[in-house]
Each structure stands twice: as C-alpha cells, then as structure tokens.
C-alpha cells in the first residue's frame, strides 16, 4: 500500500509550527482541542487509482483525500486567525500538488465559542512518490 500520510502531515505541521506560535497540530480527529489555535490533518481516504492498474502491478497510484480542521477560540479575531492558518495549509498542500475540493466554516456544536474551518484536499500519488494533478 502506498502511504504518505506521515510525510504530508509533517510537511504541513512543520510550516505551521514555524509560522504560528503555540499552535497545536495533530494527525487525528479531535472534537475539542486541548489548546488553541489547533489544526487536525488527517488522511481520510486512500484507494487504488484504478486507471493505472496494469498486468504487472495492482497499485501503481493511489487517490487520497486529506481533511483539515482549523480551530480558533480568540475572543476577537478568531475567524481571521483560522483563515490565516488555512491559507498556509492551502499553500503547502498546493505546493505538493493537492487540489482543494472543499472549504467552509463548520458549526462547532461542542463549544460555539470556537470558530472552525474544514477543508478537503485530493491528489493522486504514484508509487514513485510523485503527486499528480488529479
């Protein structure tokens, strides 16, 4: 199985930690982050890219989807803080060749004082580790 979740997570997390002091970045789902601002970066789908199956290899490429959640709890400016964080994630994933297929604010039902943005990115990754435009 082709798997690059750790590399993609690390690439984004490193940039976020350098740009945003005290940011909490995790690679799993969190309903209520322990500190803010917070980001979860999760590979929610990894499937064989059927168009590249040949007689010699079943898995030449995979189709992946990453789901990003950004949380901010600032008293003032939480929407802008979340947007600034999401912009950096967008830049990093775009640099890799991922395509944003969804991005919108989400109700954070567990605590309405927290602003939350959700985005999804998709890509096709080859066994040569190259990310192809979907």
């Amino acid at each position: 199985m082709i798997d690059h979740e750790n590399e993609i997570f690390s690439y984004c997390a490193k940039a976020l930690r350098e740009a945003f002091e005290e940011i909490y970045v995790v690679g799993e789902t969190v309903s209520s982050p322990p500190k803010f601002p917070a980001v979860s970066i999760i590979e929610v789908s990894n499937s064989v890219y059927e168009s590249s199956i040949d007689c010699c290899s079943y898995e030449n490429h995979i189709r992946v989807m990453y789901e990003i959640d950004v949380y901010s709890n600032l008293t003032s400016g939480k929407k802008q803080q979340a947007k600034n964080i999401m912009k950096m994630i967008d830049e990093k994933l775009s640099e890799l060749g991922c395509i944003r297929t969804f991005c919108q604010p989400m109700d954070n039902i567990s605590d309405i004082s927290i602003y939350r943005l959700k985005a999804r990115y998709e890509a096709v990754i080859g066994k040569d580790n190259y990310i192809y435009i979907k």
Side-chain angles (χ1 to χ4, degrees):
M1 183 170 126
I2 301 169
D3 181 10
H4 293 290
E5 182 177 13
N6 287 338
E7 293 91 342
I8 290 172
F9 171 84
S10 295
Y11 181 72
C12 293
K14 180 178 186 274
L16 289 167
R17 290 177 179 133
E18 289 172 1
F20 299 95
E21 189 176 319
E22 301 296 319
I23 194 165
Y24 176 75
V25 185
V26 65
E28 55 194 43
T29 302
V30 291
S31 58
S32 184
K35 64 181 211 171
F36 295 90
V39 176
S40 70
I41 303 170
I42 306 165
E43 185 179 273
V44 294
S45 178
N46 178 324
S47 60
V48 172
Y49 186 63
E50 294 176 13
S51 297
S52 69
I53 295 173
D54 62 24
C55 65
C56 300
S57 183
Y58 172 69
E59 188 169 287
N60 293 304
H61 300 85
I62 56 170
R63 178 182 289 121
V64 293
M65 178 187 292
Y66 290 92
E67 192 166 86
I68 315 298
D69 283 292
V70 176
Y71 304 85
S72 177
N73 70 343
L74 292 177
T75 304
S76 176
K78 59 187 164 193
K79 180 177 181 179
Q80 192 58 51
Q81 182 184 48
K83 284 183 166 192
N84 291 342
I85 294 167
M86 188 64 80
K87 181 179 179 189
M88 173 164 277
I89 294 166
D90 188 74
E91 289 170 1
K92 292 301 167 189
L93 289 175
S94 295
E95 284 173 10
L96 294 175
C98 298
I99 303 295
R100 185 179 67 257
T101 59
F102 173 88
C103 185
Q104 74 179 47
M106 303 294 288
D107 291 334
N108 199 45
I109 296 169
S110 63
D111 186 346
I112 60 171
S113 70
I114 299 169
Y115 186 82
R116 179 175 159 211
L117 276 175
K118 180 181 283 293
R120 292 188 189 105
Y121 291 81
E122 295 182 37
V124 173
I125 305 175
K127 63 182 177 183
D128 59 1
N129 301 331
Y130 186 78
I131 298 179
Y132 298 86
I133 300 296
K134 183 181 161 232

